[in-house]
Amino acid sequence: MKKILVTGGSGYIGSHTIVDLIQSGYEVINIDNLSRSNPQIMERVAKIVGKKVKDYRVDLCNYDDTSAVFQENPDIEGIIHFAAYKAVGESVEKPLMYFENNLVSLINLLKCVADFKIPHFVFSSSCTVYGSPDAIPVTEEKIGRAHV
């Protein structure tokens, strides 16, 4: 069984992704520092899938703590990264907080990808990064034409 690490798995999209992955036969572990989510979410996920998900309370901005998860789980084959701040208004008010969290956490994960030779990495981003689109819904084909 392939093991997938989901970051931000206690959030809305992350928790739904974990359920889908487990129902599709994957073993899943979660990293979430709960700064923007609820600890009860993983309890609800366990009820849905019928088993507890391995769950780490780790701040991805701390490389040593992040690396320790990979050391404990050397068979991780892929990462789906949802653990980023995404509120547009707050990001304008507190840009350095967003830069620090979103960039440092990504850099630390990418270091682990290299250090532990993880073959698959999915970076999820909010549609808000695309600016004001010409048409809704925004598709990958329309990204290049969006006005930022």
Side-chain angles (χ1 to χ4, degrees):
M1 181 179 319
K2 294 184 179 188
K3 186 182 284 187
I4 306 296
L5 168 66
V6 176
T7 68
S10 296
Y12 181 80
I13 295 173
S15 62
H16 284 75
T17 300
I18 288 174
V19 168
D20 189 58
L21 286 167
I22 291 171
Q23 291 175 342
S24 297
Y26 291 92
E27 181 180 353
V28 179
I29 60 174
N30 176 45
I31 292 180
D32 200 311
N33 68 4
L34 299 178
S35 66
R36 304 282 167 120
S37 56
N38 183 330
Q40 295 174 338
I41 297 298
M42 293 313 292
E43 294 170 17
R44 294 178 189 153
V45 167
K47 286 181 182 177
I48 292 169
V49 299
K51 64 180 178 178
K52 186 176 176 163
V53 175
K54 195 179 234 184
D55 190 27
Y56 293 90
R57 296 288 168 252
V58 168
D59 182 346
L60 294 169
C61 291
N62 182 312
Y63 177 77
D64 291 338
D65 290 349
T66 302
S67 180
V69 173
F70 288 85
Q71 291 171 17
E72 189 175 312
N73 297 278
D75 54 342
I76 293 172
E77 293 190 31
I79 301 168
I80 302 175
H81 180 43
F82 293 122
Y85 295 160
K86 63 188 181 315
V88 175
E90 184 182 57
S91 73
V92 173
E93 292 172 13
K94 302 174 183 177
L96 293 178
M97 180 179 79
Y98 273 65
F99 293 146
E100 180 177 15
N101 181 76
N102 295 355
L103 294 175
V104 174
S105 64
L106 177 62
I107 289 166
N108 285 343
L109 278 174
L110 292 175
K111 285 180 184 177
C112 289
V113 165
D115 293 346
F116 296 92
K117 298 177 179 36
I118 309 297
H120 306 287
F121 186 90
V122 175
F123 175 75
S124 174
S125 180
S126 167
C127 183
T128 58
V129 301
Y130 301 141
S132 301
D134 293 331
I136 301 285
V138 175
T139 67
E140 295 298 321
E141 293 170 358
K142 295 178 183 175
I143 291 171
R145 295 192 301 257
H147 302 290
V148 178

